Amino acid sequence: MAGEKSTTPVTGSGEVTAPERVPGGVPDGHNPWPALWAMVIGFFMILVDSTIVSVATPAILRGLRTDVNSVIWVTSAYLLAYATPLLITGRLGDRYGPKNLYLVGLTVFTAASLWCGLTGTITGLIVARVVQGLGASLLTPQTMAVITRTFPAASRGQAMALWGATAGVAILVGPVVGGLLVDGPGWEWIFFINVPVGVVAFVLAARLVPRLETHSHRFDWLGVALSAVGMFLLVFGVQEGETYDWGTITGIISVPLLIAAGLLVLGAFVWWQARNTREPLLPLGLFGDRNFSLANIAITTIGFSITAMAFPFMLYAQAVRGLSPTSAALLLAPMAVISGGLAPVAGRMSDRVPPRGITAVGIGLTAAALLWLALVMHPETQTWVLLLPMALMGVGNAFMWGPLGATATRNLPLSSAGAGSGVYNTTRQVGAVLGSAAIAAVIQARLTADLPGIPRDLGGLQSSGAAMPARVADGFASAMSESMMLPAAVLVVGVVAVLFFERPGHQPARPARSG
């Protein structure tokens, strides 16, 4: 096994001591928290960038004098480039070291952010966003891999709680910062702001993240090709289905054909992984761990629902209530604040109690909050009433993201930490794509039912700061609230999945009481 040497510790007297190694390749006594904080900065930047662009979409449309279909590709291109390589980049972290892949991904992402801000054409912006997505795909799996390989199983839940809290806070910070920047210096600054953050994150990661042992894998090039092509076809078909009315794209190529081809290629990929007697890209043995398999089902429902709920809620807040993007984003504040505050508590609990109950409570509370929100999304609803389900969603998020991530990776072999992280993040991202496509179709169906004759292009209804006419507000609000039922229902599948979790090996079963 090829390994990268760790730095030899030196005592205060200058005496060199031989490091003791733990299975992850880190000297015994190493404090993993500074490294995690350093990596979280880059992870946070990527999550913010996923939400910040949606706020700036109208400004980009005007600034680059383009059309709606083209500006949609600014988001779609990033999503495709981010989701497609995740299986591969997770495995690359095992092969070349998670620190190296993290630093490369951070460099690519930061440079592409500068490119995005400097471009003057929609084509240039789309290409730059593709490169940005590739950087994000290199970076994301390495964070979870480092947690798995540097934190003991008994305290990994607290680390994953920080990872999960980062996602919750980014949901708020992205839209708020995006609104402030768009209203101030201009849409280009939603990309320029990544440059100083990326430089600081690079310096901290280079100094604080340890170089872990690498594993000399045979690289499965056929698996790489099949997974990349299959993921691209599936993600593209689902993401762009609504754009083409789920019909023909060009010539004989249609959306259903692309989705079917993607599923077929992914089926061939799974078949090849089972037949590959050397070293497959995706070790199917990972799914022999029940908790890992069930956690992937649950994170798919979470990715689906969190992505799906944002679209109807923001449309309701801006179109029905007439809020600006910044004001609408502030409605998410209770969720982000409560999630960040409770995440350490949830992390400590997930290290001590079986994961079944804590994750079921987290996902269940999130589903209940979405249902509650759907029931109160009316034109005349007072703001404080909307904040209550958002607060409940913050509690649910705290007991959902971190404990679920810790459970997914806790039993994985350290040599497959990157592969497992890649699978977990891939299923989350695919869930997000499915949620984005599904909610668009449901919204259109409910608008057709509640407001017959409304234009299919919703752009005219999204003018910030001016509420729509009262005669259509009721029907539009009803369509948005009814659409929120979909993400709430999908989360029920996640609750059922986690109810079958097994107790992790580091948590011994309670002895039976005598007598």
Side-chain angles (χ1 to χ4, degrees):
M1 179 183 297
E4 297 182 43
K5 304 295 185 183
S6 64
T7 304
T8 304
V10 182
T11 65
S13 61
E15 178 184 357
V16 177
T17 61
E20 295 184 35
R21 309 282 279 182
V22 298
V26 182
D28 188 34
H30 168 80
N31 181 5
W33 283 102
L36 177 58
W37 278 105
M39 298 186 79
V40 158
I41 295 175
F43 183 52
F44 179 78
M45 181 173 65
I46 285 175
L47 293 173
V48 166
D49 211 70
S50 299
T51 56
I52 202 173
V53 175
S54 61
V55 176
T57 295
I60 294 173
L61 192 150
R62 294 190 300 269
L64 297 181
R65 296 176 182 174
T66 185
D67 55 75
V68 173
N69 285 336
S70 295
V71 81
I72 286 174
W73 266 101
V74 175
T75 298
S76 297
Y78 176 83
L79 186 62
L80 283 166
Y82 186 7
T84 301
L86 277 172
L87 273 180
I88 304 164
T89 56
R91 197 64 167 163
L92 285 172
D94 291 333
R95 174 76 181 269
Y96 298 107
K99 177 177 181 176
N100 294 333
L101 266 291
Y102 178 88
L103 293 176
V104 170
L106 187 60
T107 301
V108 171
F109 186 90
T110 304
S113 297
L114 180 61
W115 181 6
C116 288
L118 293 175
T119 188
T121 66
I122 189 64
T123 301
L125 181 57
I126 290 171
V127 173
R129 286 284 281 170
V130 168
V131 178
Q132 204 179 30
L134 292 173
S137 72
L138 286 168
L139 184 158
T140 301
Q142 315 315 325
T143 310
M144 284 185 69
V146 168
I147 292 173
T148 303
R149 296 177 62 182
T150 60
F151 282 84
S155 61
R156 202 170 293 154
Q158 298 177 56
M160 283 296 181
L162 174 61
W163 183 84
T166 301
V169 174
I171 292 173
L172 169 65
V173 171
V176 172
V177 172
L180 293 173
L181 291 175
V182 171
D183 292 339
W187 66 264
E188 297 88 350
W189 283 88
I190 68 172
F191 300 111
F192 287 148
I193 196 173
N194 290 335
V195 177
V197 176
V199 171
V200 171
F202 185 95
V203 171
L204 291 176
R207 290 177 60 87
L208 298 175
V209 177
R211 293 191 177 275
L212 304 175
E213 289 181 350
T214 57
H215 304 275
S216 299
H217 299 293
R218 293 177 181 272
F219 214 53
D220 180 10
W221 292 109
L222 179 57
V224 169
L226 289 173
S227 65
V229 171
M231 282 295 302
F232 176 81
L233 292 174
L234 177 62
V235 171
F236 181 89
V238 173
Q239 177 71 15
E240 296 303 309
E242 185 66 19
T243 303
Y244 296 98
D245 293 324
W246 302 96
T248 301
I249 297 176
T250 178
I252 62 172
I253 301 176
S254 66
V255 170
L257 181 62
L258 283 179
I259 294 175
L263 292 172
L264 183 64
V265 174
L266 287 176
F269 167 70
V270 174
W271 174 85
W272 168 244
Q273 298 307 286
R275 293 291 299 272
N276 187 353
T277 57
R278 294 187 176 181
E279 192 165 359
L281 176 66
L282 172 61
L284 295 180
L286 292 175
F287 293 95
D289 177 58
R290 178 194 290 186
N291 286 2
F292 179 77
S293 299
L294 294 172
N296 274 276
I297 295 174
I299 197 62
T300 301
T301 67
I302 291 171
F304 182 107
S305 300
I306 295 300
T307 301
M309 63 79 59
F311 191 38
F313 183 72
M314 283 297 165
L315 279 175
Y316 162 78
Q318 295 182 45
V320 176
R321 303 183 67 86
L323 299 177
S324 68
T326 304
S327 298
L330 287 173
L331 293 176
L332 304 174
M335 176 178 64
V337 172
I338 292 175
S339 176
L342 288 180
V345 177
R348 287 191 292 270
M349 288 180 63
S350 67
D351 286 331
R352 299 170 185 170
V353 302
R356 181 184 304 167
I358 189 172
T359 51
V361 167
I363 302 174
L365 287 178
T366 304
L370 290 176
L371 178 60
W372 185 1
L373 199 59
L375 295 176
V376 298
M377 285 170 56
H378 307 300
E380 68 280 2
T381 301
Q382 297 184 30
T383 300
W384 68 268
V385 176
L386 296 172
L387 298 180
L388 294 177
M390 279 297 171
L392 181 63
M393 197 179 305
V395 178
N397 272 256
F399 290 90
M400 179 175 71
W401 289 100
L404 185 62
T407 303
T409 58
R410 206 183 298 269
N411 296 332
L412 294 183
L414 295 177
S415 61
S416 297
S421 176
V423 172
Y424 186 77
N425 282 283
T426 297
T427 55
R428 174 179 60 85
Q429 196 68 16
V430 170
V433 175
L434 293 172
S436 176
I439 202 66
V442 171
I443 285 175
Q444 188 57 54
R446 298 320 306 159
L447 284 173
T448 301
D450 295 328
L451 287 171
I454 193 170
R456 289 183 63 83
D457 185 0
L458 300 178
L461 300 175
Q462 299 179 53
S463 55
S464 71
M468 63 174 53
R471 62 184 177 84
V472 298
D474 284 338
F476 192 89
S478 295
M480 296 304 105
S481 64
E482 290 161 3
S483 300
M484 293 287 284
M485 299 290 186
L486 175 65
V490 169
L491 280 178
V492 175
V493 177
V495 173
V496 173
V498 301
L499 287 176
F500 290 92
F501 275 153
E502 294 179 323
R503 186 188 296 269
H506 80 286
Q507 294 178 350
R510 293 178 180 177
R513 294 181 179 179
S514 59

